[in-house]
Amino acid sequence: MKTFSKWLAIVTFASLLSACGYNDFQAKDEAVKAAWGEVVNQYQGRADLVPKIAQIVKAYATHEEATFEAVTKARSAATSFQITPEVLNDPAAFEKFQQVQGQLSSALSRLMAVSENYPQLKADGLYRDAQSQLEGIENRIKVARNRYIVAVQDYNVLTRSFPTNLTAMAMSYKVKPSFTVDNEKAISTSPDVDFGGKK
């Protein structure tokens, strides 16, 4: 009878361990970190390409100094932001990361808009190559961000679901922040479109 009780206790303990989700938390946390690493990698690739594009555009558009300063300042802010694993668990730091990357995206958009005024720039092979590289990086950023969002969703569902939420509380595992849209209210409102027709 003692042997049976001992084995029953072992089986019960093992089933409790598997139900607690500790190993699932470790696996999903590593998946979030890996997905985050890819996001950071793609953002770094973009930041590395910015000086090349700026130099090419600057050769043609010498009087667009304010645009070049904005790009330089935004790139500096984006590359000086310390990206540590703690960013994933700190909503304020994560928001700051999104903000500096958004500023770089905005500055890059202004830089690319400048090129529209210079047909000879658009014809430059180096510029076309750099623009193509930038488009590729922007697409990879979107894919990497999407993978990160899915990894965070999996982790957060585990954190908030019963019975694994008990493990999350016991081990102080908190939900992780995900990417958000700065202008969510503006983009959720339908735009007014006037095609010039009669009402």
Side-chain angles (χ1 to χ4, degrees), residues 2-199:
K2 270 186 163 183
T3 306
F4 177 75
S5 297
K6 181 179 175 182
W7 280 108
L8 182 63
I10 290 171
V11 169
T12 304
F13 183 70
S15 65
L16 285 174
L17 276 180
S18 66
C20 80
Y22 179 81
N23 289 337
D24 290 336
F25 275 109
Q26 304 318 305
K28 291 189 185 300
D29 187 51
E30 288 303 317
V32 168
K33 288 176 185 172
W36 176 248
E38 185 56 25
V39 169
V40 171
N41 183 42
Q42 296 304 328
Y43 276 130
Q44 185 62 52
R46 180 176 71 173
D48 292 345
L49 186 59
V50 168
K52 178 180 178 181
I53 294 173
Q55 280 304 113
I56 295 168
V57 174
K58 199 171 194 176
Y60 288 91
T62 55
H63 65 281
E64 303 282 355
E65 200 58 43
T67 302
F68 299 124
E69 285 177 18
V71 169
T72 302
K73 183 177 176 184
R75 181 185 183 273
S76 176
T79 56
S80 67
F81 186 85
Q82 295 298 314
I83 301 166
T84 62
E86 289 74 33
V87 170
L88 299 178
N89 299 319
D90 183 353
F94 192 83
E95 187 177 328
K96 178 68 176 164
F97 174 81
Q98 287 188 100
Q99 183 182 31
V100 296
Q101 292 300 331
Q103 289 167 350
L104 182 55
S105 294
S106 178
L108 265 173
S109 293
R110 288 194 305 273
L111 181 65
M112 300 313 278
V114 163
S115 69
E116 295 300 316
N117 298 326
Y118 300 91
Q120 68 276 28
L121 170 61
K122 292 195 295 184
D124 185 298
L126 289 174
Y127 176 75
R128 284 197 317 266
D129 180 52
Q131 188 177 26
S132 176
Q133 288 178 43
L134 181 62
E135 288 171 4
I137 287 174
E138 292 294 345
N139 286 335
R140 289 190 295 276
I141 287 172
K142 288 176 188 171
V143 169
R145 281 176 54 144
N146 188 52
R147 287 181 182 151
Y148 175 77
I149 288 166
V150 170
V152 167
Q153 178 187 11
D154 288 347
Y155 179 89
N156 288 347
V157 166
L158 186 67
T159 305
R160 298 176 66 201
S161 298
F162 183 80
T164 53
N165 66 333
L166 301 175
T167 302
M169 285 188 281
M171 303 298 284
S172 299
Y173 298 150
K174 305 226 182 302
V175 294
K176 294 183 182 295
S178 191
F179 284 103
T180 58
V181 178
D182 289 337
N183 59 344
E184 187 173 345
K185 185 175 180 182
I187 64 172
S188 65
T189 305
S190 294
D192 292 327
V193 179
D194 183 7
F195 293 104
K198 293 182 180 178
K199 294 185 179 180

